[in-house]
Amino acid sequence: MDWETLAAELSQTTDTRIVLLVMDGLGGLPVDGATELETARTPNLDALARDAVCGLTDPVLMGITPGSGPAHLSLFGYDPLRHRLGRGILEALGSGVEVGRDDLVARGNFATLRDGRIVDRRAGRIPTEENVRICKFLNDNLPKRDGIAVSLFPGREHRFVARFTAPDLSDALSDADPQKEGRPPQPAAALAPEARDTAEVVNRFLDDAARLLEKEPKANAALLRGFSRFPSIPSMTDLFRLRPAAIAGYPMYKGLARLLGMTVLETGEKTSDLFDTLEARFQEHDFFYIHYKKTDSAGEDGNFAAKTAAIEEMDAFIPRLRALKPDVLVVTSDHSTPSLLKGHSWHPNPFLLHAATAGKDDVDIFTERACAGGILGRFLSMRAMPLMLAHALKLTKYGA
Amino acid sequence: MDWETLAAELSQTTDTRIVLLVMDGLGGLPVDGATELETARTPNLDALARDAVCGLTDPVLMGITPGSGPAHLSLFGYDPLRHRLGRGILEALGSGVEVGRDDLVARGNFATLRDGRIVDRRAGRIPTEENVRICKFLNDNLPKRDGIAVSLFPGREHRFVARFTAPDLSDALSDADPQKEGRPPQPAAALAPEARDTAEVVNRFLDDAARLLEKEPKANAALLRGFSRFPSIPSMTDLFRLRPAAIAGYPMYKGLARLLGMTVLETGEKTSDLFDTLEARFQEHDFFYIHYKKTDSAGEDGNFAAKTAAIEEMDAFIPRLRALKPDVLVVTSDHSTPSLLKGHSWHPNPFLLHAATAGKDDVDIFTERACAGGILGRFLSMRAMPLMLAHALKLTKYGA
């Protein structure tokens, strides 16, 4: 029996509450002998670690660097090697674009085309209002060919989401994006025989858009990448009998949460907003996913000091979390983002679980190295969900 | 998706270099309170451990004692429960015998037959020159039956490799070897219906050989075991985009390396030869497997002091390894060989990984017990390859 079948069989709804705080990209590497987490002053996280059990998690497999999609899927209890999500679908859902069973979506950029070559892949980062105007113009004027509906949804600056609606579209397509400037536009290519018709649909759209945008000074071409159809993935309610909620600011994470059936709660952009929202809605759900982006952003920028500061900023909110007395409180990351590497990495995530049913181990500070000595050992992130459910007494016995 | 598919998708060739030093059978068990590794004076390995991350590996699964084949396959990133290699194929490849798709190979012994019973399974360890003469005699005089070619390749003393060439031979055969002296020769038996014809071919050869060797005073019969066909296994270049090289003295390890597509570098018999070869060829490859046999041999002999001395001998070469500045340096064993047990065992292997992308953990000496507290935790040996590739920046991101 696989884990998803087992989960559906053993999960039960209870009154207990789980809070999963994801400090995106938290794990790091030493610079001058200490990681960002070791350098940060974190009295509240350390106190929590002393009252909790700790370990280290691998998002996919040891050595594998995950994108945000697989890293989060794993934390939510899904096997990231079984379920693969296209970037387009995450972007679409995160932007609030509704995606159904007959839809194919892709991430789009407006770009500048000169003499047959893409000279600026971001069309000079046109203002968002320009983007809104251009998307509306295209939606109103694109010819509808063969009954296939195409809709564009503006994002920030030059970014948009494209949605094609028709039965039997395929997402086995290469990106319609030359990736580098100075090259001609690149049509989408079918990566499987059944995608040939879809490639034609997409490339006709790109031609239509370029023709309609001919007079635009900057945004006179469109690029598309990350083609994806709506994936078939069971919801967290189906699998775990949860009423889950997400508190996240960025489209990508909201999109992923919607895909898994979480209610996305409205929140603001400040770190304190995450906790205001949690406190206001704490009675309505039994699983809360809180996403904190700053740690990852600083790591991606290679900014050790900013990442350290982001950790300290979050540390100050830990008492507010504990004051709510969730039955299970987990603090961890989806993947590591060492400032040293300026990007996601394969290094394991520090993991801390606090619950009345968990006891304590000997870990007395919350760092990568200290967590290595925790009672949970080193485990796959996808095992975090059964652990959280168990500590919340949401899993019944397996077998007699 | 399985690991091999994932590896082929994520691996990329880079200029970075990986060195994997396998101290065969390194892991041990305490005698008078300390293992061989704990007893040995290893200032260089200890210093390396202080600058590295450590853990413990299980070659196959906890509790499973592996042969050299599965133990090495696992270290090279192959699932040892998916790929099974016959001992015959390893011996053949290690002896430099070419093996193709239509070949069946086996390990052979010349033996002494008296009054219908095997009285010496090693034919008094006849001199190698005798073996060469007898193999040539048989190759020249064996009748060719049903178009099936049989070739014998002499090894040391009484050992040889037998190769049968014909389409559709099967390796589902029991050993044609009574295993103990005082018993009559034992024909090969088909272990599956499709192996019946092959069993006949093999047993006819054994009869022919005994007839032709009737006059030999010692080597008047042949025994065969470990029947194996050429396995279908992807190369390390196919899976990991590596240009791998092996530096090993023993046939078995050279054979395994060739099977996986490694270039086997010429080297001498002294321990220093391994490092002379590494230094001379360091620019030509991006993955080096160095095999050190003495630790295992001493363990197999139950010689605690000799194993301790072998560890100390290797320790002295660690500075030469570090001076080459490989991007990733791993020191571990394929399996444990405790002197106490005089053979391979299921105990986990101490594992140490040094890389600029790895940081350090709190392990300050290189022993089995100290490695148990390392940040890598306890993991399957087959995860060592993704870890080495990752630390050498040879794996791209999984998913968006």
Side-chain angles (χ1 to χ4, degrees):
Chain A
M1 181 169 13
D2 69 5
W3 154 238
E4 290 182 11
T5 310
L6 186 66
E9 181 180 321
L10 303 185
S11 297
Q12 60 182 357
T13 303
T14 67
D15 283 340
T16 53
R17 281 180 178 69
I18 298 169
V19 174
L20 168 64
L21 170 60
V22 177
M23 295 176 68
D24 200 317
L26 177 61
L29 277 176
V31 170
D32 296 330
T35 66
E36 300 90 334
L37 184 55
E38 289 172 333
T39 303
R41 273 197 70 255
T42 53
N44 297 304
L45 284 166
D46 294 343
L48 184 57
R50 278 194 290 280
D51 291 339
V53 289
C54 295
L56 288 173
T57 69
D58 290 289
V60 179
L61 289 176
M62 283 179 93
I64 303 302
T65 297
S68 303
H72 271 83
L73 275 185
S74 190
L75 265 182
F76 296 141
Y78 296 81
D79 182 346
L81 291 171
R82 176 172 176 179
H83 301 285
R84 298 195 70 167
L85 301 177
R87 184 90 190 191
I89 193 80
L90 293 173
E91 192 80 10
L93 290 165
S95 310
V97 177
E98 278 184 47
V99 186
R101 304 278 157 193
D102 277 350
D103 292 334
L104 172 74
V105 293
R107 306 166 73 196
N109 272 16
F110 288 114
T112 310
L113 185 71
R114 287 267 178 281
D115 304 326
R117 287 171 191 278
I118 301 293
V119 296
D120 185 342
R121 288 182 63 251
R122 297 179 182 80
R125 293 189 182 271
I126 49 166
T128 302
E129 314 83 72
E130 280 291 283
N131 185 342
V132 170
R133 176 185 60 76
I134 294 170
C135 283
K136 183 173 189 319
F137 172 71
L138 287 175
N139 286 335
D140 291 345
N141 292 284
L142 277 168
K144 186 162 181 170
R145 299 185 185 270
D146 300 336
I148 295 166
V150 185
S151 307
L152 303 190
F153 301 85
R156 285 196 194 178
E157 299 175 335
H158 52 286
R159 301 180 192 89
F160 65 89
V161 169
R163 186 182 68 194
F164 302 82
T165 307
D168 303 323
L169 294 174
S170 166
D171 56 8
L173 295 177
S174 68
D175 288 347
D177 183 337
Q179 302 293 348
K180 286 189 181 166
E181 285 159 2
R183 294 183 185 172
Q186 180 169 304
L191 302 176
E194 71 272 16
R196 276 187 210 136
D197 289 350
T198 310
E200 248 181 70
V201 166
V202 164
N203 292 327
R204 240 165 23 198
F205 155 76
L206 291 170
D207 291 344
D208 287 340
R211 198 167 28 75
L212 288 166
L213 299 177
E214 217 168 21
K215 298 282 160 56
E216 289 291 331
K218 290 178 173 167
N220 63 351
L223 311 177
L224 294 177
R225 61 194 193 283
F227 291 96
S228 27
R229 287 174 52 81
F230 191 90
S232 65
I233 191 166
S235 77
M236 289 174 71
T237 303
D238 289 342
L239 285 187
F240 311 126
R241 314 258 181 277
L242 292 170
R243 287 166 294 134
I247 306 176
Y250 279 65
M252 171 89 173
Y253 311 96
K254 292 197 278 191
L256 183 56
R258 280 202 193 91
L259 189 70
L260 303 178
M262 289 192 231
T263 301
V264 175
L265 304 181
E266 280 299 312
T267 193
E269 295 199 351
K270 297 200 303 294
T271 303
S272 60
D273 294 333
L274 300 174
F275 297 92
D276 291 346
T277 304
L278 179 68
E279 288 163 0
R281 312 293 290 271
F282 196 61
Q283 295 312 313
E284 297 170 32
H285 297 273
D286 53 12
F287 180 93
F288 293 89
Y289 152 56
I290 306 175
H291 183 257
Y292 181 58
K293 179 73 178 169
K294 280 189 185 175
T295 31
D296 178 61
S297 304
E300 294 262 6
D301 290 344
N303 192 333
F304 191 97
K307 187 169 165 190
T308 301
I311 294 169
E312 293 183 348
E313 181 184 344
M314 178 49 75
D315 184 76
F317 289 96
I318 298 298
R320 277 179 71 180
L321 260 187
R322 296 188 73 171
L324 286 168
K325 299 192 187 305
D327 299 278
V328 176
L329 170 57
V330 165
V331 182
T332 189
S333 45
D334 49 345
H335 55 76
S336 293
T337 306
S339 311
L340 195 67
L341 297 179
K342 296 188 182 183
H344 292 197
S345 82
W346 62 92
H347 299 84
N349 305 288
F351 183 96
L352 164 172
L353 183 149
H354 178 270
T357 53
K360 307 174 184 187
D361 56 20
D362 293 334
V363 177
D364 55 4
I365 51 169
F366 189 53
T367 67
E368 298 88 345
R369 275 184 263 208
C371 283
I375 202 168
L376 297 177
R378 185 155 173 167
F379 59 104
L380 292 177
S381 299
M382 66 173 282
R383 303 296 173 213
M385 181 56 79
L387 207 55
M388 291 187 277
L389 293 170
H391 281 287
L393 304 179
K394 290 183 190 292
L395 286 183
T396 57
K397 188 159 67 178
Y398 171 64
Chain B
M1 182 171 8
D2 68 7
W3 155 239
E4 290 183 11
T5 310
L6 186 66
E9 181 180 320
L10 302 183
S11 296
Q12 60 182 357
T13 302
T14 68
D15 284 337
T16 53
R17 281 180 178 70
I18 298 168
V19 175
L20 168 64
L21 170 60
V22 177
M23 295 176 68
D24 200 316
L26 178 61
L29 278 176
V31 170
D32 296 331
T35 67
E36 299 89 335
L37 184 55
E38 288 171 334
T39 304
R41 273 197 70 254
T42 54
N44 296 305
L45 284 166
D46 293 344
L48 184 58
R50 278 193 290 280
D51 292 339
V53 290
C54 296
L56 287 175
T57 69
D58 290 291
V60 180
L61 289 175
M62 284 179 90
I64 304 302
T65 297
S68 302
H72 271 83
L73 275 184
S74 190
L75 266 182
F76 296 140
Y78 296 80
D79 182 345
L81 292 172
R82 175 171 176 179
H83 300 285
R84 298 194 70 169
L85 301 177
R87 184 89 189 195
I89 194 80
L90 294 172
E91 191 78 12
L93 290 165
S95 311
V97 176
E98 279 185 45
V99 186
R101 304 276 157 196
D102 277 351
D103 293 334
L104 172 75
V105 294
R107 306 167 74 198
N109 272 17
F110 288 115
T112 309
L113 184 71
R114 289 270 177 279
D115 305 327
R117 286 172 192 277
I118 300 293
V119 296
D120 185 342
R121 286 182 66 250
R122 296 179 182 80
R125 293 189 184 272
I126 49 166
T128 302
E129 312 85 72
E130 280 291 283
N131 184 342
V132 171
R133 176 184 61 77
I134 293 170
C135 283
K136 182 171 189 319
F137 172 71
L138 288 175
N139 286 336
D140 291 346
N141 292 284
L142 277 169
K144 188 161 182 172
R145 299 182 185 272
D146 301 335
I148 296 166
V150 186
S151 308
L152 303 190
F153 300 85
R156 285 197 196 177
E157 298 176 334
H158 53 285
R159 301 180 192 89
F160 65 89
V161 169
R163 185 181 70 194
F164 301 82
T165 307
D168 303 322
L169 293 174
S170 166
D171 56 8
L173 296 177
S174 67
D175 289 347
D177 184 337
Q179 303 292 348
K180 286 191 179 164
E181 287 158 2
R183 294 185 184 171
Q186 181 170 304
L191 302 175
E194 72 272 16
R196 276 187 210 138
D197 290 350
T198 310
E200 248 181 71
V201 166
V202 165
N203 292 327
R204 241 167 19 200
F205 155 76
L206 292 170
D207 290 345
D208 288 339
R211 199 168 26 75
L212 287 166
L213 298 178
E214 219 169 17
K215 299 284 161 56
E216 289 290 332
K218 289 178 177 169
N220 64 350
L223 311 177
L224 294 177
R225 60 194 195 283
F227 291 95
S228 28
R229 286 174 53 82
F230 192 90
S232 66
I233 190 165
S235 76
M236 290 174 71
T237 304
D238 288 343
L239 285 186
F240 310 127
R241 314 256 181 277
L242 291 170
R243 288 166 293 133
I247 306 177
Y250 279 66
M252 170 89 174
Y253 311 97
K254 292 198 278 191
L256 182 57
R258 280 201 194 92
L259 189 72
L260 303 178
M262 289 192 230
T263 302
V264 175
L265 304 181
E266 281 299 311
T267 193
E269 295 198 351
K270 299 199 305 291
T271 303
S272 60
D273 293 334
L274 300 173
F275 298 93
D276 291 346
T277 304
L278 178 67
E279 287 164 1
R281 313 293 292 272
F282 195 62
Q283 297 310 316
E284 297 169 32
H285 297 273
D286 52 12
F287 180 93
F288 293 90
Y289 152 56
I290 306 176
H291 182 257
Y292 182 58
K293 180 71 177 170
K294 281 188 183 175
T295 30
D296 179 60
S297 304
E300 294 260 8
D301 291 344
N303 192 333
F304 190 97
K307 187 170 165 189
T308 302
I311 294 168
E312 293 184 350
E313 182 184 343
M314 178 50 74
D315 185 75
F317 289 96
I318 298 298
R320 278 180 69 179
L321 259 187
R322 296 188 73 172
L324 287 169
K325 299 191 188 304
D327 299 278
V328 175
L329 171 57
V330 166
V331 182
T332 189
S333 44
D334 49 345
H335 55 76
S336 294
T337 307
S339 310
L340 196 66
L341 299 180
K342 297 189 179 180
H344 293 196
S345 81
W346 61 93
H347 300 85
N349 304 287
F351 183 96
L352 164 171
L353 184 150
H354 179 270
T357 53
K360 305 172 184 189
D361 56 20
D362 294 333
V363 176
D364 56 5
I365 52 168
F366 188 55
T367 66
E368 297 88 345
R369 276 183 263 205
C371 283
I375 201 167
L376 296 177
R378 184 155 174 166
F379 59 106
L380 291 178
S381 298
M382 66 173 283
R383 302 296 171 214
M385 180 57 77
L387 206 56
M388 291 187 276
L389 293 170
H391 282 284
L393 305 179
K394 290 182 191 291
L395 286 181
T396 56
K397 189 159 68 175
Y398 172 63

